[in-house]
């Protein structure tokens, strides 16, 4: 029986500011090894680790309603599809359903040749016996044995000395040798976890693992995995990395074993701990998809894999059909996905803020125009990856509310409806949209934005271009035609150096107003967009082919308008009419 060894060498602390919120109950982290010559900060991750999913075991143990066999099977198949080669399928000695699932996988041949199943068991004989029974006939399997080595568990849970705890690990290791020998038809891989490794004195964890390895003798061909759990995450990830580096440097047979990490997310840094742990020498990472697991969850393998992907490292897992993956995982776990969950949340590719939207639009436009220069390398402000890589559409990227700006609104019109607004037009229309969003006090849907666009610029009820002709006589252009203004049909004739200026001249003559063209821009609407200019008699209700944007000074005030038509000239004249309609 050991003595309780709480450490309280910490200086007395000042009284807490908030009486009931007493930080003096907690102590600084006590298990950081002395490592002054750490090397991990200079490393980078250049290759994916060996991934091991523990969704069906650790994840399952943390569910309100553990998965049924059918759900486990569906999840298993998903994990295989995503590309996992090592899958912890459960704890067969802990529950009948766990045992039955192992039997089903084996007896019905559900395990692909390149996939190894893994099972967890405590270092206790009757449980180990049952575990090997559950695995009878399997081609290859990892038997994962564990016991807790942490100070708090030694002292308060088991009341055992360090040596007694080490003996539990050694006897578990021996039992695995014995039972594996009884089933030589299976390729056995042994895995040992000093549970709560990160809350164990690192030297003691090394001593225990050395002893286990000594039993298993990996140098003679036995595949051995030493798994280091941050069972409860209780330090910053740099300290966990120190623990891993120290462990790897001092383990006697480091080169004969695979070092695996199993981090939990109590401080919210499980992924960082796993990443830094890899820098510190780990080869293998255990975790779950979307991070389900005890308390705050296990390390989220999807996020860590996508982190590698987004830095140009092959994650060796396939997340291209992310919505299918998310649906199956959240259905089986019966847990919702947070809208801000990295990479998969509904809102993670969405910018509402005007400046973000503007930057995204500019980056995407730049890349589209400069394929050669950018060599198709993804480098877009505010978007760490191309949403299309995980099956997300560009619709997600920009959404409009009252925080949004001209860039976002322009993005929606461009990507969804083929309108490429010049900057001055963007400014004009974004005011309209902002007002509408403020009035609605909610996000505006794309259709509502198009509706506002049409109502403001394209449906000039009462202002119509009727029959007209434009003739070029030796460089001077003459406009003759009819328009309706305020419901009244009027004849217009004017002269200028182009169709637009001759039309404006005609309107100015007729109305007596002072009119100047300030800005003009036009473009073809790409055939992929089927914007239907219903208002357009001459287009015979076919799709508009051209869009023209016009900004006029009308008696000192600025008005902007838009016209669409199959003919560029008509689009231009309609654009002018649209601007004028706002002045009248
Ligand atoms: O978190 C943990 O320590 C575990 C072990 C059983 C590996 O899940
Ligand atoms: Zn765990």
């Amino acid at each position: 029986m050991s003595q309780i060894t709480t450490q309280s060498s910490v200086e007395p602390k000042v009284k807490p500011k908030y009486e009931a919120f007493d930080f003096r109950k907690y102590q600084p982290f006590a298990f950081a090894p002395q490592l002054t010559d750490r090397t991990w900060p200079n490393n980078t991750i250049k290759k994916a680790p060996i991934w091991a999913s523990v969704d069906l075991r650790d994840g399952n143990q943390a569910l309100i309603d553990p998965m049924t066999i059918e759900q486990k099977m569906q999840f298993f198949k998903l994990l295989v599809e995503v590309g996992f080669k090592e899958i912890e399928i459960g704890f067969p000695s802990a529950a009948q359903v766990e045992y039955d699932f192992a039997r089903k996988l084996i007896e019905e041949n559900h395990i692909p040749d390149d996939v190894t199943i893994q099972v967890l068991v405590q270092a206790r004989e009757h449980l180990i016996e049952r575990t090997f029974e559950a695995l009878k006939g399997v081609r290859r399997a990892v038997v994962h044995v564990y016991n807790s080595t942490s100070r708090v568990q030694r002292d308060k849970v088991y009341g055992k000395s360090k040596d007694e705890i080490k003996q539990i690990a050694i006897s578990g290791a021996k039992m695995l040798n014995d039972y594996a020998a009884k089933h030589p038809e299976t390729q056995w891989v042994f895995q040992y976890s000093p549970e709560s490794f990160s809350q164990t004195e690192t030297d003691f964890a090394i001593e225990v693992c050395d002893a286990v390895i000594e039993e298993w003798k990996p140098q003679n061909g036995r595949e051995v995995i030493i798994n280091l759990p941050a069972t409860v995450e209780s330090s910053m990830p740099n300290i966990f990395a120190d623990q891993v580096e120290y462990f790897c440097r001092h383990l006697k047979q480091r080169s004969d074993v695979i070092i695996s990490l199993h981090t939990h997310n109590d401080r919210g840094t499980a992924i960082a701990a796993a990443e830094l742990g890899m820098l510190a020498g780990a080869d293998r990472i255990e975790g779950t998809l979307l991070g389900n697991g005890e308390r705050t969850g296990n390390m989220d393998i999807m996020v860590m894999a996508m982190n590698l992907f987004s830095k140009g490292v092959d994650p060796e897992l396939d997340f291209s059909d992310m919505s299918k993956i998310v649906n199956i995982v959240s259905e089986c776990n019966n847990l919702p996905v947070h809208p801000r969950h990295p990479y998969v949340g509904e809102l993670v590719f969405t910018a509402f803020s005007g400046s973000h939207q503007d930057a995204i639009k500019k980056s995407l436009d730049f890349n589209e125009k400069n394929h050669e220069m950018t060599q198709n390398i993804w480098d877009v402000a505010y978007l760490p990856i191309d949403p299309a890589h995980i099956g997300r559409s560009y619709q997600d990227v920009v959404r409009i509310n009252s925080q949004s700006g001209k860039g976002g609104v322009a993005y929606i019109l461009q990507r969804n409806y083929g309108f490429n607004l010049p900057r001055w037009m963007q400014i004009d229309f974004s005011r309209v949209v902002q007002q509408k969003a403020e009035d609605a006090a909610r996000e505006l849907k794309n259709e509502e934005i198009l509706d506002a666009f049409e109502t403001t610029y394209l449906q000039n009820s009462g202002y119509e271009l009727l029959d007209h002709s434009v003739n070029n006589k030796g460089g001077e252009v003459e406009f003759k035609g009819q328009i309706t203004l305020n419901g009244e049909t009027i004849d217009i004739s004017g002269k200028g150096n182009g169709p637009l200026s001759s039309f404006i001249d005609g309107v100015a003559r007729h109305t007596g107003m002072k009119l100047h063209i300030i800005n003009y821009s036009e473009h073809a609407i790409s055939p992929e967009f089927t914007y239907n200019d219903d208002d357009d008699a001459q287009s015979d209700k076919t799709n508009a082919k051209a869009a023209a944007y016009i900004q006029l000074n009308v008696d000192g005030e600025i008005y902007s308008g838009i016209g669409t038509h199959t003919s560029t000239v008509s689009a231009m004249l309609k654009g002018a009419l649209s601007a004028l309609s706002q002045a009248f």
Side-chain angles (χ1 to χ4, degrees), residues 243-435:
Q243 291 174 310
V244 174
E245 179 165 340
Y246 186 94
F247 184 93
C248 290
R249 280 162 63 167
H250 292 88
L251 193 75
K252 284 192 189 131
Q253 287 186 238
R254 166 66 187 97
S255 58
D256 295 322
V257 300
I258 288 172
I259 299 294
S260 175
L261 304 180
H262 176 112
T263 57
H264 279 265
N265 199 36
D266 299 81
R267 295 168 55 96
T269 54
I271 297 162
E275 289 173 334
L276 300 193
M278 271 192 77
L279 299 181
D283 311 297
R284 181 182 188 267
I285 297 292
E286 290 194 347
T288 60
L289 295 182
L290 308 186
N292 172 44
E294 301 279 11
R295 304 177 308 284
T296 50
N298 281 75
M299 205 285 303
D300 184 339
I301 288 190
M302 180 280 294
V303 173
M304 184 168 164
M306 290 306 301
N307 286 350
L308 294 178
F309 180 84
S310 71
K311 290 290 156 272
V313 176
D314 181 357
E316 297 172 26
L317 293 175
D318 180 2
F319 288 106
S320 55
D321 195 352
M322 195 66 97
S323 52
K324 174 180 164 184
I325 295 167
V326 171
N327 284 343
I328 294 180
V329 172
S330 50
E331 256 173 54
C332 289
N333 289 344
N334 206 4
L335 289 172
V337 177
H338 195 283
R340 300 279 178 202
H341 192 110
Y343 299 104
V344 299
E346 190 209 330
L347 296 177
V348 298
F349 295 112
T350 304
F352 286 106
S353 126
S355 63
H356 290 207
Q357 293 173 342
D358 207 40
I360 291 172
K361 182 177 182 302
K362 283 181 178 150
S363 303
L364 291 173
D365 288 351
F366 182 93
N367 291 352
E368 253 167 42
K369 283 181 202 133
N370 299 283
H371 280 299
E372 262 180 40
M373 189 210 287
T374 61
Q375 296 189 316
N376 269 338
I377 293 293
W378 185 259
D379 185 22
V380 174
Y382 300 110
L383 284 181
I385 63 159
D386 181 349
H389 274 135
I390 57 167
R392 293 284 292 265
S393 82
Y394 282 89
Q395 309 272 1
D396 295 331
V397 171
V398 168
R399 287 166 58 174
I400 303 298
N401 63 18
S402 59
Q403 302 293 307
S404 308
K406 62 181 186 335
V409 174
Y411 178 97
I412 300 282
L413 289 173
Q414 181 187 341
R415 302 260 155 187
N416 297 295
Y417 307 110
F419 289 100
N420 217 337
L421 271 55
R423 194 182 136 75
W424 43 270
M425 194 75 228
Q426 292 175 15
I427 294 168
D428 196 80
F429 185 49
S430 75
R431 284 193 211 112
V432 176
V433 172
Q434 189 157 26
Q435 189 59 55

Side-chain angles (χ1 to χ4, degrees), residues 57-58 61 120 144 146 193 195-196 227 229-232 262 264 286 298:
R57 197 278 299 170
D58 217 354
Q61 282 181 301
L120 184 73
H144 176 189
Y146 75 100
S193 290
E195 199 210 285
S196 302
N227 186 48
T231 305
V232 177
H262 176 112
H264 279 265
E286 290 194 347
N298 281 75

Side-chain angles (χ1 to χ4, degrees), residues 22-146:
D22 191 350
F23 60 89
R24 293 172 303 179
K25 270 210 148 160
Y26 304 93
Q27 292 198 333
F29 186 66
F31 302 102
Q34 281 307 304
L35 188 68
T36 49
D37 58 345
R38 58 184 66 78
T39 61
W40 62 263
N42 298 328
N43 296 338
T44 47
I45 304 178
K46 299 199 177 83
K47 189 174 170 5
I50 302 163
W51 300 110
S53 152
V54 295
D55 291 270
L56 300 173
R57 197 278 299 170
D58 217 354
N60 190 44
Q61 282 181 301
L63 296 176
I64 299 169
D65 298 316
M67 284 180 249
T68 60
I69 290 205
E70 291 69 35
Q71 286 173 316
K72 277 196 143 195
M73 187 60 82
Q74 190 189 16
F75 210 135
F76 178 81
K77 289 187 173 155
L78 175 75
L79 293 167
V80 169
E81 254 179 65
V82 166
F84 284 94
K85 302 298 174 207
E86 296 188 9
I87 302 174
E88 192 162 80
I89 57 152
F91 201 152
S93 61
Q96 189 62 40
V97 54
E98 299 282 284
Y99 183 94
D100 292 344
F101 181 59
R103 293 314 307 151
K104 191 175 171 70
L105 284 176
I106 297 163
E107 284 167 18
E108 294 178 7
N109 278 323
H110 291 292
I111 310 164
D113 287 348
D114 60 348
V115 171
T116 301
I117 59 165
Q118 173 173 319
V119 291
L120 184 73
V121 63
Q122 282 167 0
R124 294 163 69 184
E125 173 135 31
H126 67 290
L127 301 179
I128 291 176
E129 184 180 11
R130 177 95 170 136
T131 302
F132 275 88
E133 214 177 279
L135 293 175
K136 207 158 182 278
V138 72
R139 185 189 49 80
R140 188 172 193 270
V142 180
V143 183
H144 176 189
V145 64
Y146 75 100

